[in-house]
Amino acid sequence: MMKAEKHPASNPSEAPMLGDHLAMDLLNTEAMVDGKTVDYWGSGEDVLGWMARHGIAPADADGPLDLEALLARGRTLRTLVRQLVEQRKQGSVGDTAPIAALDAYLRAHVSAPHLARDSEGGLTLTRQARAEPVASMLGRLAEATAQLLVDGDFDLVKQCQHPECVLWFYDRTKAHKRRWCSMALCGNRHKAAQFRKKAAL
Ligand SMILES: [Zn+2]
């Protein structure tokens, strides 16, 4: 029965959305499935689809979207975020170079407040992207990461404890005892392995 359960990272087309934080889900676009590394960002379209599932879309007004740049710069950003999150998890604030590199993504993420009448006759104030679409979209990920590095509780930034799983999550449970990317999957894999160990004694 347990064998029929699929690891959350085993869907070949879509990265798991279980990180409970945008930066964690960004890291989880690379996963281990059956001992092999899987990159869910295989193309610019993959990145675009992933962004859409996280509510991030390019604004039409910003001109055409360069999918190749979205993939290349997105992957570079992901590497940076991994480096900074891992360094922070090990107790360091982070090296100067990756911090400056992340900051470059933030500086490219230009937006302005936008005041307009809404359909009900009132006024709305929103923020409108002012940069080219790739910078705007990746800027959202960079900002979520920067916020995490500054304000996040890194005791709650965790990696799944299953030895064959590399997924990250932000532990928002009340007791802060979350150990698995998914209790139903990695949690059960662990329980089954413990059971086998006991049975073998
Ligand atoms: Zn796991």
Side-chain angles (χ1 to χ4, degrees):
M1 260 198 310
M2 248 164 238
K3 282 214 172 96
E5 292 198 86
K6 283 246 191 291
H7 190 265
S10 66
N11 182 328
S13 61
E14 286 188 351
M17 287 174 75
L18 46 76
D20 255 343
H21 193 288
L22 194 54
M24 302 287 100
D25 276 342
L26 170 62
L27 296 182
N28 292 345
T29 59
E30 282 181 308
M32 287 275 272
V33 180
D34 299 330
K36 281 187 216 114
T37 305
V38 174
D39 187 350
Y40 292 97
W41 282 6
S43 69
E45 279 87 356
D46 290 345
V47 183
L48 193 62
W50 183 89
M51 292 274 191
R53 289 200 287 135
H54 286 83
I56 302 170
D60 296 336
D62 300 335
L65 180 69
D66 182 344
L67 283 174
E68 253 171 59
L70 184 67
L71 178 65
R73 282 156 63 187
R75 280 178 168 170
T76 305
L77 174 61
R78 182 177 64 185
T79 303
L80 276 174
V81 172
R82 188 176 304 284
Q83 193 179 349
L84 286 166
V85 166
E86 283 175 357
Q87 285 182 347
R88 187 58 184 280
K89 197 61 197 158
Q90 285 156 16
S92 150
V93 171
D95 293 339
T96 310
I99 289 171
L102 182 67
D103 192 51
Y105 280 86
L106 294 173
R107 276 183 286 119
H109 178 35
V110 182
S111 68
H114 172 58
L115 182 68
R117 287 168 64 145
D118 65 20
S119 54
E120 273 119 51
L123 285 171
T124 57
L125 186 62
T126 52
R127 284 205 85 85
Q128 232 173 30
R130 308 290 293 174
E132 46 94 19
V134 171
S136 295
M137 294 173 82
L138 295 179
R140 296 269 301 274
L141 306 183
E143 192 171 358
T145 304
Q147 204 85 56
L148 177 74
L149 293 170
V150 173
D151 292 331
D153 179 349
F154 266 71
D155 286 337
L156 307 183
V157 171
K158 300 178 181 177
Q159 208 164 11
C160 180
Q161 283 186 14
H162 197 282
E164 283 153 38
C165 183
V166 294
L167 298 181
W168 289 86
F169 53 86
Y170 197 86
D171 183 357
R172 297 184 197 272
T173 63
K174 244 194 197 145
H176 301 317
K177 295 224 162 76
R178 183 173 167 188
R179 297 171 66 194
W180 316 107
C181 63
S182 153
M183 186 60 222
L185 301 155
C186 277
N188 272 342
R189 288 207 288 178
H190 171 78
K191 266 199 268 175
Q194 295 294 97
F195 181 77
R196 277 196 301 272
K197 245 189 244 168
K198 257 191 212 152
L201 285 179

